[in-house]
Amino acid sequence: MAGTGIETVVVDGLGLARGKRAQMAEEIEKLTADGSRPPCLAVVLVGDDPASASYIKGKRRACKRVGFDSVEHNPPATSSEAEVLALIDQLNRDDGIDGILVQLPLPDAIDPNVVAAAIDPAKDVDGVGPVNAGRLVMGEDGYFACTPLGILEILDHHQIEISGADAVVIGRSMIVGKPISLLLQRRNATVTMCHSRTRDLAEHCRRADILVAATGRPRMIPPDWIKPGAAVIDVGVTEVDGELVGDVDFEGVQGIAGIVTPHRRGVGPMTITMLLHNTLEAWKARSRA
Ligand code: NDP
């Protein structure tokens, strides 16, 4: 936008993620120098959805690069809920497993909330179960959803003042909208949670010092909804005509936003990094137990 004098900083989520992963790799090398086993993440993919398979591959590759082990379980799409729960039970009991991640979406016959509740809270490194969600609400320590944790890392890295800030979150899912709202509130932001029934979304957005968009509605946030200098975190990723697009008009907010995450190499790499972080913390907690 002409005349604002703002030079928007495009967040390098991949660079930030690489830095944190390098630190983790160094830490794990030291911690396993005595021959103890490295952290191990179990990933469960029910069925063969290609997008889910590719996410799982990325997560396992990230584990390997930092020196973690990972194991994959791939029951067929026809599996019953009871069969998936039996697998979760087996992983809960396995002393060689520190974290369990069940890739979503699950086939229609399987209730994701039932599966999430079955994961041992001490291994729930994706922060999807009711115990960790409850800890988040109660202000206690726990394993919290990875995308919101990555967003906080991004804000902190860019020294965005959270305390006292007006934060507006669009979206109220259990994996992004709800947990990031609670985490920002814990850091003393004044948080407004918006969703598809919110009246006058534009007005809410215009007073946001921190705007988190997690709707999956391509480019639904135009430049004139952005407060000059705001930190704009675009979580949304949607494929449109073979191209990935965010919720925010990325080009349009240049010169208005203080910082903005690109829809590629923005929030995504930090999500995986915080999964590794949670797995490392779970491993440390188990080693101490
Ligand atoms: P959900 O579909 O679970 O939630 C979308 C939310 O957006 C809902 O709360 C919905 O409101 C709200 N919403 C939809 N349309 C509008 C609208 N027109 N105005 C205001 N609010 C609206 O999505 P997720 O939270 O799972 O994911 C959101 C996006 O983030 C997706 O594009 C997903 O791919 C991406 N994502 C990216 C990640 C990453 O690491 N980069 C990680 C996780 C997600 P209501 O509740 O009223 O229906």
Side-chain angles (χ1 to χ4, degrees), residues 55 147 170-177 194-198 201 213-217 220 234-238 247 263 267-269 271-272:
Y55 293 141
T147 301
I170 318 175
R172 51 179 165 179
S173 72
M174 279 304 293
I175 59 165
V176 189
C194 299
H195 44 76
S196 65
R197 308 292 173 88
T198 297
L201 185 60
T215 70
R217 300 284 176 271
M220 69 164 278
D234 188 0
V235 182
V237 199
T238 314
D247 289 359
H263 52 275
V267 173
T271 297
I272 299 187

Side-chain angles (χ1 to χ4, degrees), residues 5-288:
I6 294 172
E7 262 192 51
T8 302
V9 173
V10 175
V11 171
D12 177 10
L14 184 60
L16 186 55
R18 283 188 175 143
K20 283 198 76 68
R21 290 182 202 181
Q23 277 173 12
M24 271 189 261
E26 219 172 275
E27 189 179 356
I28 207 64
E29 201 180 325
K30 281 191 198 132
L31 291 172
T32 55
D34 62 357
S36 47
R37 71 161 180 84
C40 183
L41 176 70
V43 293
V44 178
L45 171 63
V46 185
D48 52 9
D49 174 61
S52 295
S54 143
Y55 293 141
I56 288 279
K57 204 169 147 195
K59 285 163 186 171
R60 294 198 67 195
R61 194 169 48 221
C63 279
K64 193 166 180 207
R65 286 196 179 144
V66 293
F68 292 8
D69 285 337
S70 68
V71 291
E72 182 172 339
H73 291 265
N74 191 198
T78 50
S79 305
S80 66
E81 192 173 274
E83 284 165 334
V84 174
L85 292 178
L87 172 60
I88 299 294
D89 183 51
Q90 176 199 320
L91 296 171
N92 283 342
R93 291 161 189 269
D94 187 338
D95 267 345
I97 302 291
D98 303 294
I100 302 170
L101 176 138
V102 179
Q103 186 65 44
L104 299 177
L106 288 165
D108 290 346
I110 302 171
D111 183 339
N113 287 346
V114 171
V115 174
I119 299 171
D120 179 347
K123 296 188 178 188
D124 175 24
V125 290
D126 214 16
V128 292
V131 172
N132 282 307
R135 287 172 177 155
L136 177 57
V137 174
M138 295 176 84
E140 293 173 2
D141 289 340
Y143 298 110
F144 304 143
C146 301
T147 301
L149 291 179
I151 293 172
L152 288 188
E153 291 283 328
I154 289 170
L155 294 173
D156 287 340
H157 177 78
H158 288 276
Q159 296 177 336
I160 304 298
E161 178 91 52
I162 299 177
S163 181
D166 274 323
V168 172
V169 175
I170 318 175
R172 51 179 165 179
S173 72
M174 279 304 293
I175 59 165
V176 189
K178 283 195 182 101
I180 189 60
S181 297
L182 289 161
L183 285 165
L184 287 167
Q185 192 192 68
R186 273 169 79 146
R187 295 276 301 268
N188 299 317
T190 303
V191 182
T192 305
M193 287 177 78
C194 299
H195 44 76
S196 65
R197 308 292 173 88
T198 297
R199 261 186 272 143
D200 209 349
L201 185 60
E203 276 317 301
H204 287 292
C205 291
R206 285 188 185 119
R207 54 179 175 68
D209 303 307
I210 299 169
L211 179 65
V212 179
T215 70
R217 300 284 176 271
R219 294 198 189 93
M220 69 164 278
I221 297 160
D224 69 334
W225 289 16
I226 305 297
K227 179 175 176 177
V232 178
I233 306 292
D234 188 0
V235 182
V237 199
T238 314
E239 200 178 316
V240 180
D241 299 331
E243 227 189 285
L244 292 179
V245 180
D247 289 359
V248 175
D249 176 352
F250 177 76
E251 284 79 24
V253 305
Q254 300 299 318
I256 306 173
I259 68 165
V260 63
T261 58
H263 52 275
R264 291 181 86 103
R265 305 185 164 195
V267 173
M270 283 307 292
T271 297
I272 299 187
T273 301
M274 299 319 288
L275 173 69
L276 298 174
H277 167 85
N278 280 352
T279 305
L280 178 57
E281 291 304 308
W283 175 82
K284 285 182 189 169
R286 285 167 58 75
S287 315
R288 283 195 298 268

